[in-house]
Amino acid sequence: MSRNKLLAFIISALALLSGCQSMADEATIGIPGRVVNTDSNIIILRASLNGSGVSGAGGDECCMSIPAKWKPGMTATISWTKDPNPKANPDGTKEPSWTNGRSTPEWRKWMKTHEANYKKMEKLIPLPKYGETCGVTFIFLPCDDARVVIDCEEEHRLFSKLPGGNNFDSELIRRLGGKKTCR
């Protein structure tokens, strides 16, 4: 092998190895995700962090992917789809009833109009620091304010000793420094 070919081979091998090393630095872990919606005027249909997401149906869903280790300066894109008016269409018409447990043509037509009004939202956020993780908790506050909690200690601090019933949402909004009403 000529000297130039040997040098080209070594450079190529080093480039491949350094590429593998940088991929190793970007290791990810799979964790559950959940949605907490404190805005009773909307429904969250789906939420994601850098494209990895869950439905807004409640409860833990598996699995989302996040970097295995948090590093200072990390950012993420949080995206969500919301139903801004779950009870009616923009013209004020209410959802038609189903018949014998089946959707009707009127309901399907209403739903097509309704789904066209879903809003897709997106926000670039600093990725909150995490060590031990209990999953990704998306918290939706009034005024299209969205937060993400990943660290177990932070989740425990926010959710411990929350009152039940009607005071749950308002106390969580207060703990997160969110607005209760929008301008």
Side-chain angles (χ1 to χ4, degrees):
M1 185 181 285
S2 74
R3 185 178 175 121
N4 287 343
K5 285 185 180 181
L6 181 61
L7 186 58
F9 174 77
I10 292 171
I11 290 171
S12 296
L14 288 174
L16 283 172
L17 289 174
S18 68
C20 291
Q21 181 60 40
S22 69
M23 287 174 64
D25 289 345
E26 299 300 323
T28 60
I29 56 172
I31 58 175
R34 69 197 63 80
V35 168
V36 176
N37 181 13
T38 67
D39 187 345
S40 61
N41 296 314
I42 65 169
I43 291 178
I44 302 297
L45 301 164
R46 180 156 179 76
S48 66
L49 188 71
N50 288 343
S52 182
V54 294
S55 76
D60 285 1
E61 290 184 30
C62 193
C63 280
M64 294 184 58
S65 181
I66 65 166
K69 292 184 180 180
W70 179 85
K71 296 175 190 159
M74 291 176 86
T75 60
T77 300
I78 179 173
S79 306
W80 66 100
T81 304
K82 70 176 187 173
D83 181 344
N85 191 0
K87 297 179 177 24
N89 275 343
D91 65 2
T93 58
K94 304 286 185 202
E95 180 178 3
S97 298
W98 286 29
T99 303
N100 297 325
R102 293 183 173 217
S103 65
T104 61
E106 295 81 17
W107 182 87
R108 288 189 293 276
K109 181 180 176 186
W110 183 91
M111 197 62 197
K112 189 173 184 175
T113 301
H114 192 76
E115 288 174 343
N117 290 289
Y118 290 170
K119 303 282 185 219
K120 293 187 182 213
M121 313 293 289
E122 190 172 277
K123 178 179 176 182
L124 182 66
I125 61 167
L127 196 61
K129 185 176 182 178
Y130 57 91
E132 182 182 347
T133 180
C134 294
V136 174
T137 302
F138 296 93
I139 305 171
F140 294 92
L141 305 172
C143 312
D144 293 324
D145 189 6
R147 311 286 174 89
V148 175
V149 177
I150 301 173
D151 187 72
C152 283
E153 285 184 35
E154 179 66 8
E155 184 173 302
H156 179 71
R157 183 188 70 76
L158 283 172
F159 288 95
S160 68
K161 299 181 182 172
L162 275 172
N166 293 336
N167 295 326
F168 177 91
D169 289 346
S170 60
E171 177 58 17
L172 186 55
I173 293 166
R174 186 195 68 75
R175 289 182 185 190
L176 286 165
K179 298 175 186 171
K180 291 184 182 178
T181 58
C182 307
R183 293 182 195 165

